[in-house]
Amino acid sequence: MSTHVKPDNNAAYPEQNPRTFSDLVQTLHDQSTPPTLEQITSWLESTVISREDLRPYTGFKEGNYWRHRVCKNKAVEMLVLCWRPGHRTPIHDHNGSHGVVKIQEGVLWESIFTYQEDRGLSYKSGRECPTGDITGAGVPDIHQLGNPEVSGQDLITIHIYAPPLGVLHTYKVGSPQIDLYTPDESET
Ligand SMILES: [Fe+2]
């Protein structure tokens, strides 16, 4: 009698974890199925990323944060977001994707919300993530990210989503209304 042992990708870690930014991009490129939250977190924790690595994806604009796509396939995508003080996302979920954020430079504020059919959206908690933090968002997290106005500094964050983000849901506090939101693809 033979025993079939299912390959366990996690068994190879941390030996196969990416070490450089280009290793990380290659690792993402090689994925044919969406990696887990734990895998993505482990990859980001093991990778040393410099400002020079992100130079092609670093650029700011007034009015709104700027999304720069590093790579995307059907399993996973990576983005670099550049925020001036006061820039923030709408309140949103990831419509079935999970994601991990690394704070490369600056301070990120995250607000978490809960949604109930009868009460609509309500605020749950908030937190501050300093430079170097790696934070995951499972399913179904509803949140808002931003660079606080009072930070007085730019914010650069690295985002990995699996599967890639499509149309998202947006919410308003105190309202049961859920709208659809497509992140601006024209500039990524
Ligand atoms: Fe998000």
Side-chain angles (χ1 to χ4, degrees):
M1 179 181 150
S2 69
T3 305
H4 179 70
V5 179
K6 192 167 169 242
D8 178 6
N9 287 337
N10 285 315
Y13 298 111
E15 290 79 5
Q16 289 187 1
N17 272 0
R19 298 290 177 203
T20 67
F21 186 67
S22 56
D23 289 343
L24 177 60
V25 174
Q26 186 62 48
T27 298
L28 297 179
H29 179 75
D30 291 343
Q31 303 305 304
S32 55
T33 57
T36 65
L37 201 61
E38 292 73 24
Q39 279 180 315
I40 298 169
T41 303
S42 174
W43 294 341
L44 273 171
E45 284 174 347
S46 70
T47 306
V48 177
I49 301 173
S50 70
R51 187 173 237 282
E52 183 59 22
D53 290 327
L54 299 188
R55 198 173 48 78
Y57 315 104
T58 303
F60 296 85
K61 59 181 180 179
E62 302 311 314
N64 202 5
Y65 61 98
W66 197 346
R67 308 167 89 243
H68 305 264
R69 177 167 293 114
V70 179
C71 60
K72 179 182 179 181
N73 62 18
K74 66 180 172 56
V76 64
E77 73 174 332
M78 176 159 58
L79 300 155
V80 175
L81 270 59
C82 298
W83 324 61
R84 296 287 194 208
H87 288 172
R88 60 186 178 177
T89 67
I91 301 171
H92 66 279
D93 68 19
H94 296 149
N95 200 8
S97 294
H98 50 259
V100 182
V101 179
K102 178 174 185 184
I103 293 79
Q104 180 73 15
E105 282 184 35
V107 173
L108 176 80
W109 273 2
E110 180 181 29
S111 303
I112 313 267
F113 301 83
T114 55
Y115 183 88
Q116 294 166 295
E117 291 282 329
D118 52 339
R119 293 183 52 204
L121 190 78
S122 48
Y123 177 81
K124 180 183 173 193
S125 61
R127 61 179 177 149
E128 178 178 306
C129 305
T131 300
D133 249 23
I134 295 171
T135 174
V139 178
D141 270 5
I142 302 172
H143 72 170
Q144 180 177 46
L145 302 180
N147 181 2
E149 181 84 49
V150 291
S151 75
Q153 60 185 327
D154 292 334
L155 168 67
I156 300 174
T157 51
I158 300 165
H159 301 243
I160 298 177
Y161 297 107
L165 295 182
V167 177
L168 308 182
H169 300 128
T170 58
Y171 302 80
K172 289 188 180 70
V173 171
S175 166
Q177 186 177 334
I178 303 174
D179 292 316
L180 298 179
Y181 165 66
T182 305
D184 188 352
E185 295 284 325
S186 63
E187 295 167 329
T188 56

